[in-house]
């Protein structure tokens, strides 16, 4: 499985990397099933779409489940389905109900009744709006603007898998939650970004395709790196970010099918081209240099603790990362007080994230910290 081809990659060579080649092959073997599972999940969970008027929405309770539907049972398109917490958050946000208040209500025995009464009243009395309601398996997972740009995830993820196969990248991991998914395909080659004494590391590179059909993230394609010795993932530069925003949808969803198909076809073409770019020798060799710099660059640790919350990390998460950074051995993290060690502390912590969606976010944070992405440089300049 591990091989090199004729392309101009600056791959690591020599006796010292042979064991890492074997370890990479073992990692691929152990984890690639999860990538195939996510691809199958995406293929099997195609959203059912409805256009729903806000003044027609009604809410109810079945046991502990909050239900959403339309008030007129005889009207065409009437439905009543359970609400995913993410969809409930979207509904409350649009109604002006603060997240903290929602969470407090859900903790109280009478809270759900009070919540649905308020939501039904607010949406009935306020100005009428159209929403795109997306459901899977009779559960509402997204309540979105009627200008949400729908794209069919199935041909997009299939194009990713096919193009990766064409260039020799193999599936290594899939992360799939109710709301968002990501699949990774790795180049089965090993790289050594720094040969400076004490900073020797052996890594591999992957492409990650991620998307949410329910308003929990844009369609994106990124390059990422794997620290082979401990399977720490850090998702680096973003090559594609397609926000789900388009023309307002017609009352009849089927009327918009042509646009839906064209948007999907455009993204399929972009994904094919960009996979070849992000895993091409030019991009890989450039990124090897950036990681080599991160392995050698010492950081001000106190300043780092102040910076991590600005990257979207919670107080408790920063405390856990701090513990890992201070106590992690060479099996978990690169040695030294370096940018690479901090990034790996974040990615090590990401493995224990509460949800697949949060794990993806933390791996992106690790990558942004590792190579000082354009986004981070812009934020630092504005601070």
């Amino acid at each position: 499985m591990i091989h090199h081809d004729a392309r101009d990659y600056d791959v690591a060579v020599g006796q010292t990397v042979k064991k890492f080649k074997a370890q990479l092959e073992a990692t691929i073997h152990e984890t690639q099933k999860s990538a195939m599972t996510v691809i199958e999940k995406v293929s099997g969970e195609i959203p059912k779409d409805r256009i729903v008027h806000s003044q027609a929405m009604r809410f109810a309770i079945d046991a502990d489940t909050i239900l959403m539907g339309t008030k007129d049972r005889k009207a065409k398109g009437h439905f009543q389905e359970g609400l995913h917490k993410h969809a409930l958050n979207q509904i409350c946000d649009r109604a002006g109900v603060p997240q903290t208040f929602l969470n407090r209500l859900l903790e109280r025995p009478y809270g759900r009744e009070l919540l649905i009464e308020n939501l039904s009243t607010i949406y009935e009395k306020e100005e009428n709006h159209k929403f795109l309601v997306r459901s899977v398996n009779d559960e509402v997972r997204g309540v979105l603007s009627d200008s949400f740009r729908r794209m069919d995830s199935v041909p997009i993820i299939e194009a990713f898998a096919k193009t990766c196969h064409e260039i020799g990248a193999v599936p290594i991991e899939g992360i799939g939650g109710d709301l968002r998914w990501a699949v990774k395909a790795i180049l089965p080659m090993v790289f050594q970004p720094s040969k400076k004494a004490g900073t020797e590391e052996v890594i591999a590179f992957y492409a990650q395709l991620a998307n949410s059909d329910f308003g929990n993230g844009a369609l994106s394609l990124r390059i990422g790196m794997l620290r082979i010795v401990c399977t720490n993932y850090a998702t680096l530069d973003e090559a594609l970010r397609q926000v789900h925003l388009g023309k307002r949808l017609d009352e009849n969803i089927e009327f918009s099918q042509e646009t839906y198909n064209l948007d999907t076809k455009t993204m399929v073409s972009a994904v094919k081209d960009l996979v070849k770019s992000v895993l091409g020798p030019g991009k890989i060799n450039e990124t090897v240099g950036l990681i080599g710099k991160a392995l050698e660059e010492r950081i001000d640790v106190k300043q780092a603790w102040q910076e991590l919350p600005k990257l979207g990390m919670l107080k408790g998460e920063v405390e856990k990362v701090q513990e890992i950074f201070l106590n992690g051995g060479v099996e978990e993290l690169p040695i030294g007080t370096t940018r690479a060690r901090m990034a790996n502390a974040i990615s090590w912590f990401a493995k224990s994230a509460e949800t697949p969606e949060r794990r993806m976010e933390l791996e992106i944070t690790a990558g942004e910290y590792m190579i000082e992405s354009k986004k981070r440089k812009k934020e630092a300049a504005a601070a």
Side-chain angles (χ1 to χ4, degrees):
M1 183 177 293
I2 303 300
H3 67 277
H4 303 317
D5 61 20
R7 290 174 293 177
D8 188 22
Y9 292 102
D10 293 334
V11 295
V13 295
Q15 295 296 318
T16 58
V17 299
K18 283 187 176 180
K19 68 174 182 178
F20 292 107
K21 291 180 183 180
Q23 190 169 341
L24 175 58
E25 184 169 345
T27 299
I28 292 171
H29 179 73
E30 291 168 6
T31 63
Q32 64 180 182
K33 184 178 178 180
S34 67
M36 305 312 297
T37 298
V38 168
I39 292 173
E40 291 172 3
K41 179 181 174 69
V42 171
S43 299
E45 295 189 348
I46 299 173
K48 179 178 181 179
D49 291 335
R50 303 178 179 93
I51 291 292
V52 178
H53 287 262
S54 59
Q55 291 182 348
M57 294 184 344
R58 286 296 179 271
F59 305 91
I61 298 175
D62 180 13
D64 289 332
T65 302
I66 296 177
L67 306 175
M68 174 190 175
T70 50
K71 62 181 179 180
D72 189 349
R73 294 179 180 275
K74 296 181 180 180
K76 182 181 178 181
H78 170 74
F79 73 99
Q80 188 176 61
E81 296 177 340
L83 269 175
H84 191 283
K85 179 59 163 55
H86 173 71
L88 179 59
N89 290 346
Q90 291 173 322
I91 288 169
C92 289
D93 182 60
R94 294 179 185 281
V97 177
Q99 185 70 45
T100 52
F101 182 62
L102 167 62
N103 292 336
R104 287 171 184 169
L105 284 180
L106 294 178
E107 292 170 356
R108 288 164 168 74
Y110 59 84
R112 284 171 171 77
E113 287 80 1
L114 183 58
L115 177 63
I116 65 169
E117 180 182 345
N118 278 271
L119 289 175
S120 294
T121 301
I122 290 170
Y123 278 107
E124 182 180 17
K125 301 297 184 183
E126 292 291 318
E127 181 182 355
N128 191 44
H129 294 282
K130 291 190 300 182
F131 294 128
L132 171 66
V133 176
R134 312 200 85 183
S135 304
V136 173
N137 298 329
D138 299 321
E139 178 187 56
V140 176
R141 293 191 185 177
V143 179
L144 306 148
S145 164
D146 64 337
S147 61
F148 183 86
R149 187 182 186 190
R150 301 179 302 151
M151 288 175 279
D152 189 347
S153 291
V154 176
I156 294 173
I157 201 171
E158 288 176 350
F160 173 80
K162 182 179 179 180
T163 307
C164 286
H165 177 73
E166 288 173 357
I167 65 173
V170 295
I172 190 170
E173 188 187 49
I175 307 170
D178 291 339
L179 307 172
R180 193 177 180 190
W181 54 263
V183 286
K184 298 168 182 170
I186 198 163
L187 277 177
M189 307 174 183
V190 294
F191 299 82
Q192 192 169 12
S194 174
K195 295 180 174 61
K196 183 178 178 180
T199 66
E200 300 93 339
E201 288 284 323
V202 180
I203 63 174
F205 289 98
Y206 61 85
Q208 173 178 289
L209 181 72
N211 193 29
S212 170
D213 291 316
F214 309 101
N216 194 41
L219 173 67
S220 71
L221 179 68
R222 291 173 177 264
I223 182 175
M225 61 150 284
L226 166 68
R227 184 175 185 252
I228 298 173
V229 69
C230 61
T231 64
N232 279 354
Y233 292 95
T235 307
L236 308 169
D237 265 356
E238 188 169 49
L240 169 68
R241 179 177 176 80
Q242 179 59 60
V243 177
H244 292 265
L245 186 63
K247 296 179 180 179
R248 295 198 178 279
L249 295 170
D250 188 84
E251 295 283 342
N252 184 350
I253 285 288
E254 295 304 318
F255 186 78
S256 305
Q257 188 67 36
E258 184 177 356
T259 300
Y260 183 40
N261 293 339
L262 287 173
D263 285 346
T264 299
K265 185 177 180 180
T266 300
M267 287 304 105
V268 165
S269 178
V271 165
K272 288 179 178 178
D273 291 340
L274 288 170
V275 166
K276 296 174 183 177
S277 175
V278 299
L279 292 182
K283 183 64 177 178
I284 294 294
N285 293 339
E286 174 191 354
T287 309
V288 167
L290 292 173
I291 295 171
K293 178 182 177 182
L295 284 163
E296 299 175 10
E297 181 184 347
R298 294 181 62 85
I299 59 170
D300 182 327
V301 178
K302 290 183 179 180
Q303 183 178 338
W305 304 139
Q306 296 173 357
E307 187 176 358
L308 294 186
K310 298 176 183 177
L311 295 176
M313 296 189 66
L314 304 176
K315 180 181 178 183
E317 293 175 333
V318 174
E319 290 173 351
K320 293 287 181 63
V321 169
Q322 184 174 12
E323 181 181 348
I324 294 167
F325 181 87
L326 295 174
N327 301 318
V330 69
E331 289 297 316
E332 295 87 19
L333 311 174
I335 64 173
T337 310
T338 65
R339 182 170 299 282
R341 183 177 178 87
M342 182 63 72
N344 274 272
I346 298 169
S347 58
W348 181 270
F349 170 70
K351 298 176 184 180
S352 61
E354 292 185 359
T355 65
E357 288 85 2
R358 187 56 181 158
R359 178 184 167 185
M360 283 185 262
E361 292 167 355
L362 289 169
E363 288 180 356
I364 290 172
T365 300
E368 289 179 344
Y369 193 90
M370 174 78 78
I371 64 171
E372 289 195 287
S373 67
K374 294 177 183 177
K375 176 183 174 183
R376 286 191 61 246
K377 289 178 180 178
K378 185 177 180 180
E379 290 173 347

